[in-house]
Amino acid sequence: MQERIIQFLKESDGYISGEEMSQRLNMSRAAIWKHMQELRADGYEIAAVPHLGYQLVTCPDKLISYEIQSGLNTKIMGKKVIVIDTVTSTMDEAFRLGMEGCLEGTVVCAEAQSKGRGRLGRAWTSPKFKGLYFSFVLRPNLPLSRLAQLTLMSAVALAEAIESVSELKPLIKWPNDILLEEHKLAGILTELRAESDQVQFVVVGIGLNVNSSLHQLTPGASSLKVAAGQSFNRTNVFQAILQSLEKWYLRLLQGEFFQVMDEWKSRSATLKRRIRITDATGIIEGQAVDLDEDGALLIRRDNGLIVKKSAGDVFILR
Ligand code: BTN
C-alpha cells in the first residue's frame, strides 16, 4: 500500500487532499494518515497543510524494497527484494534463502555489511548508506564448468548499467572487477550449491561504491561519486543494474553467450595488456590475448606458449 501512496504522491501536481486520496485509493482518511506516518518513519518528507492536503517533498536516500521494485520492468530479477539494515554479508542471507527454495531472481541487499567479503578471502568494505551491497539467487540449468559465464555476464550487465546512469565508461578487469581509470569501483563474487556436476543455485554478490567519499574507500578503490563529482540516487542505480542483469541473463539462457563475450571483450581492461597473474600454482607474466568459451583467460608467455587460467588475481603491467 505504501508503494501505491508514494506513486500517487509522485504523480500528483502540488498538494493533494486527504479526501481525494481516500476516494481514489479507496481507504479511510485515518488509514491514509497512518500510512503517511509510516512513510515519514521510512525517511520520506511529506508536507501536510490544513485545507490543502499532502505533498511529497523529498524521498529518502534509503533502500526501500517497494521503491526499488516500482517501475522495474523485469520478469526474474527483483521479483522479490529484501532490504536489511545491517547484515554480516548478503551472501549468507541469499544462500540461506536459496537453500529454502526461494524464487529465482530473489535479491537481498543491505545498507551496511559487517563482514562483507570479496574474492580470494578479501574483505569488502561496506560503509552504511554509501553503496549497493546485494546478492541474488539464480537457478540456471548450467553444468559447473560453465559457471564463469554467469560472472562474466554479471560484469557486463554491471558495466552497462553504470554507463547508463552516468557519463562514466567503466572497464572490466578479468575476471570481474569493474574499474574506472584503474581504480576499483565494483566487484562481483559468485558462490554456488551444486550436486555432482549440476548447479542447484548460484548466489551472485555485487558490491558497488556509489556515494562513498575518498576517505571511506580502501586504497586503489573509487566510487561513482568520486569519479563523476556528484552523488547518485542509489535506487535508480540499483534499478538500472537489475534491468541490465535480466537482459544479459536472458541472453545467456537463450544460448547467446557469444554476445556476452563480445560485450565483455569490448569493455576489457585486461585483453591486449601485459599482465602478471597469481594463482595457487604460482605467478606468471605475459600478454593477455583472449578468453576461451568458458571465460578462462588465455595468456601468451614470452616463450610463445599459451597458458589458460580459470582463476587468479591479475595485475596489469605498464
Ligand atoms: C570482489 O571484488 O572481490 C568481490 C566483492 C563482492 C562484494 C559483494 S557486496 C555484496 C555481497 N556480499 C558480500 O559479502 N560480498 C558481495
Side-chain angles (χ1 to χ4, degrees):
M1 185 45 75
Q2 253 94 337
E3 186 182 351
R4 278 183 65 205
I5 294 183
I6 283 300
Q7 197 63 28
F8 195 74
L9 287 171
K10 278 185 177 168
E11 284 163 5
S12 308
D13 199 10
Y15 283 90
I16 174 117
S17 72
E19 183 61 38
E20 190 180 342
M21 282 186 83
S22 139
Q23 279 170 12
R24 303 256 301 266
L25 295 170
N26 196 20
M27 70 173 84
S28 70
R29 290 184 64 172
I32 295 216
W33 185 84
K34 190 169 155 277
H35 284 304
M36 291 298 177
Q37 297 303 99
E38 285 168 5
L39 286 167
R40 287 184 176 123
D42 269 349
Y44 288 91
E45 198 184 331
I46 299 168
V49 176
H51 309 300
L52 279 177
Y54 299 103
Q55 186 176 29
L56 181 61
V57 183
T58 56
C59 295
D61 187 28
K62 253 176 150 185
L63 297 172
I64 296 171
S65 58
Y66 55 79
E67 277 270 331
I68 297 162
Q69 285 179 301
S70 77
L72 204 58
N73 187 16
T74 53
K75 292 197 195 73
I76 304 173
M77 290 303 305
K79 278 290 155 204
K80 187 166 174 67
V81 176
I82 298 163
V83 179
I84 306 175
D85 184 71
T86 304
V87 74
T88 47
S89 162
T90 57
M91 298 304 284
D92 300 335
E93 285 302 310
F95 209 90
R96 192 176 55 72
L97 293 170
M99 293 292 286
E100 285 171 6
C102 71
L103 270 181
E104 180 172 53
T106 296
V107 180
V108 183
C109 60
E111 293 289 14
Q113 299 182 113
S114 55
K115 280 196 181 142
R117 58 177 181 266
R119 289 173 63 241
L120 310 169
R122 294 182 181 133
W124 184 264
T125 310
S126 318
K128 194 160 191 175
F129 300 131
K130 295 294 173 189
L132 288 172
Y133 321 116
F134 64 99
S135 302
F136 51 93
V137 178
L138 296 178
R139 300 183 183 278
N141 185 13
L142 273 186
L144 259 181
S145 57
R146 300 260 141 159
L147 190 71
Q149 293 188 352
L150 281 181
T151 315
L152 299 185
M153 174 290 282
S154 303
V156 162
L158 186 52
E160 179 187 78
I162 291 168
E163 196 169 321
S164 76
V165 294
S166 67
E167 306 273 284
L168 304 167
K169 299 254 174 281
L171 296 178
I172 307 169
K173 187 180 98 170
W174 187 89
N176 49 18
D177 286 353
I178 304 294
L179 302 186
L180 271 176
E181 286 166 10
E182 303 188 4
H183 287 78
K184 183 159 168 172
L185 186 64
I188 300 168
L189 182 66
T190 311
E191 296 177 351
L192 77 144
R193 181 163 177 97
E195 220 159 72
S196 55
D197 183 38
Q198 198 60 27
V199 174
Q200 280 189 330
F201 67 85
V202 181
V203 174
V204 181
I206 293 186
L208 168 64
N209 302 321
V210 182
N211 291 327
S212 329
S213 306
L214 256 186
H215 72 274
Q216 291 164 320
L217 293 165
T218 47
S222 188
S223 70
L224 292 181
K225 180 177 163 182
V226 167
Q230 61 164 89
S231 295
F232 286 79
N233 177 304
R234 289 180 305 148
T235 303
N236 289 348
V237 179
F238 204 174
Q239 289 169 326
I241 297 172
L242 295 177
Q243 297 272 161
S244 191
L245 278 167
E246 168 128 342
K247 173 179 127 186
W248 287 100
Y249 183 52
L250 291 178
R251 284 190 181 164
L252 194 105
L253 294 185
Q254 283 154 8
E256 291 166 7
F257 181 60
F258 66 93
Q259 288 201 21
V260 176
M261 292 273 268
D262 285 351
E263 188 70 18
W264 193 98
K265 287 179 190 177
S266 76
R267 294 179 181 275
S268 172
T270 311
L271 296 182
K272 304 195 183 105
R273 299 292 299 269
R274 188 169 174 81
I275 62 160
R276 179 183 303 135
I277 180 163
T278 310
D279 70 0
T281 64
I283 304 177
I284 63 162
E285 272 187 33
Q287 183 89 359
V289 283
D290 207 354
L291 289 188
D292 78 358
E293 69 280 6
D294 292 330
L297 188 63
L298 304 178
I299 304 135
R300 189 188 309 110
R301 302 204 61 177
D302 294 342
N303 59 10
L305 276 182
I306 302 280
V307 180
K308 171 176 158 170
K309 291 284 175 187
S310 301
D313 203 18
V314 167
F315 183 76
I316 298 171
L317 301 164
R318 294 278 139 206

